[in-house]
Amino acid sequence: MKAYHVVGIGNAIVDVFTQADDSFIELMGIEKGIMQLVERDRGEMLYGAMADRVQAPGGSVANTLAGLGNLGLDTAFIGRVHDDALGRFYARTMAGNGTDFVNPPVPGGELPTSRSMIFVSPDGERSMNTYLGISSELGPDDVSDSVAGGAQFLFLEGYLYDKPKGKQAFERAARLCQRNGGKAGIALSDPFCVDRHRDDFRRLVKDLDYVIGNEHEWCALYQTDLSAALEQAAADAGMVVCTRSGQDVILVQGEEEAVVPVRRIVPVDATGAGDQFAAGFLYGLATGQSLAISGRMGCVAAAEVISHFGARPETDLKALFRRNGLI
């Protein structure tokens, strides 16, 4: 019996929200409606300028684990936070939501806990300013044998490939998981991330049991059109998942292919759609569902999260799956 259904490894980022009008955003020199990385000094200045802050634990894989926790699976998160107020908040909240936060906050003179300062303007646009901080220092020493080796499924976040230590952490975790009979996979995260690490990702895809990406990420990985990219991916990876904005999801495993239709809805807030698709999909895999049913579960979870603000589900996802005839 595995210790965990799903173990995730990724950036531990506190999302900090505040309402801000356009004149404030302009005054602070914030690029409206996009995500940009900021250095420590600017991050601390923006954090200090936020009135009526609301904070929540974030990060792509951590959001996926929150969805899996909503569905009742046993989960753990391998991430790195500082022993400061935000880091303790992150670890406490993850644990309170049912995910084991396995690495204690790091004391001493290291970088502060990562945070994304999100300014929400009256038209609903989100302007995100992310300071990567200590989470980008995650390394192989943060990966314990028992946690990664005790995972039925391991889920990796492509963003961590930006640092050599993050890459080593991934490879160690995947090796431990697979050596003990688990399945390891990755979310490609971002086409620019793929561009930066194309050769490494191509090698990694061949070693993993499943890979989730959107159409832009798959095209970036193989530098060709989607059809040819997915054909190559299917030859390389154990299982391939391709999400497309507002269009059918394509899933391929060996000779088997499933095309899952997407019910289009107008999003209130598209943040977290990919993260919750991954949660529904991994729930399907972990409970022995078919490719098609796992894909449909992903679509239902994604539709729930884009129907409200925030990157984590607010409804009982299992009840939604029942309503949709999936369980």
Side-chain angles (χ1 to χ4, degrees):
M1 184 68 181
K2 290 291 188 183
Y4 297 104
H5 293 106
V6 182
V7 171
I9 176 168
N11 280 308
I13 299 175
V14 179
D15 288 335
V16 188
F17 300 88
T18 191
Q19 303 284 334
D21 59 29
D22 288 348
S23 61
F24 178 86
I25 287 170
E26 192 175 328
L27 178 71
M28 300 302 286
I30 295 166
E31 291 261 4
K32 187 176 175 184
I34 67 163
M35 193 285 280
Q36 58 186 153
L37 295 177
V38 297
E39 294 300 325
R40 181 173 179 169
D41 289 351
R42 178 156 174 81
E44 289 179 350
M45 184 273 286
L46 289 173
Y47 183 73
M50 300 179 92
D52 302 320
R53 291 188 294 251
V54 177
Q55 56 197 39
S60 178
V61 162
N63 290 337
T64 296
L65 293 174
L68 289 163
N70 177 295
L71 285 158
L73 295 193
D74 293 323
T75 58
F77 181 60
I78 299 169
R80 195 169 176 86
V81 298
H82 189 67
D83 189 12
D84 53 18
L86 283 181
R88 291 188 292 273
F89 163 79
Y90 194 99
R92 189 172 63 246
T93 312
M94 288 289 285
N97 290 337
T99 292
D100 284 354
F101 191 81
V102 295
N103 298 328
V106 178
E110 281 210 52
L111 297 168
T113 296
S114 312
R115 77 280 311 258
S116 183
M117 280 66 65
I118 302 167
F119 296 86
V120 184
S121 44
D123 58 5
E125 281 273 23
R126 292 171 158 225
S127 307
M128 302 170 74
N129 301 263
T130 303
Y131 167 59
L132 284 178
I134 197 173
S135 71
S136 62
E137 295 298 306
L138 185 85
D141 292 347
D142 296 306
V143 178
S144 86
D145 291 25
S146 60
V147 175
Q152 183 184 353
F153 287 90
L154 180 75
F155 189 41
L156 311 170
E157 182 180 307
Y159 287 124
L160 274 182
Y161 243 64
D162 276 332
K163 289 280 186 83
K165 283 204 298 190
K167 188 174 150 188
Q168 290 160 16
F170 264 19
E171 289 165 356
R172 172 171 158 73
R175 204 163 47 241
L176 286 164
C177 172
Q178 291 172 323
R179 193 186 293 154
N180 286 288
K183 294 187 183 305
I186 193 170
L188 292 175
S189 293
D190 174 285
F192 301 110
C193 188
V194 172
D195 286 338
R196 290 193 294 272
H197 306 289
R198 185 174 291 109
D199 291 344
D200 282 334
F201 275 154
R202 282 192 186 175
R203 273 195 298 276
L204 188 66
V205 162
K206 292 180 180 179
D207 293 334
L208 294 178
D209 301 291
Y210 63 94
V211 182
I212 303 173
N214 65 31
E215 56 190 316
H216 307 297
E217 290 155 3
W218 284 117
C219 291
L221 185 63
Y222 292 106
Q223 295 176 291
T224 184
D225 63 80
L226 185 62
S227 173
L230 291 182
E231 195 175 316
Q232 180 65 52
D236 285 351
M239 182 187 298
V240 170
V241 182
C242 176
T243 59
R244 299 182 293 167
S245 183
Q247 298 183 64
D248 298 346
V249 175
I250 302 166
L251 306 98
V252 186
Q253 184 174 25
E255 296 298 306
E256 185 187 355
E257 180 173 320
V259 179
V260 177
V262 170
R263 186 172 60 86
R264 297 193 73 154
I265 61 172
V266 178
V268 172
D269 173 12
T271 312
D275 303 337
Q276 295 313 319
F277 173 87
F281 170 72
L282 286 170
Y283 177 80
L285 291 190
T287 55
Q289 305 297 333
S290 67
L291 266 191
I293 295 294
S294 299
R296 285 180 61 197
M297 287 175 163
C299 291
V300 169
E304 189 281 337
V305 83
I306 66 174
S307 69
H308 58 75
F309 285 105
R312 300 187 171 195
E314 293 182 350
T315 309
D316 180 342
L317 291 178
K318 220 179 247 186
L320 282 182
F321 290 172
R322 281 196 197 93
R323 209 173 304 152
N324 283 270
L326 300 175
I327 52 176

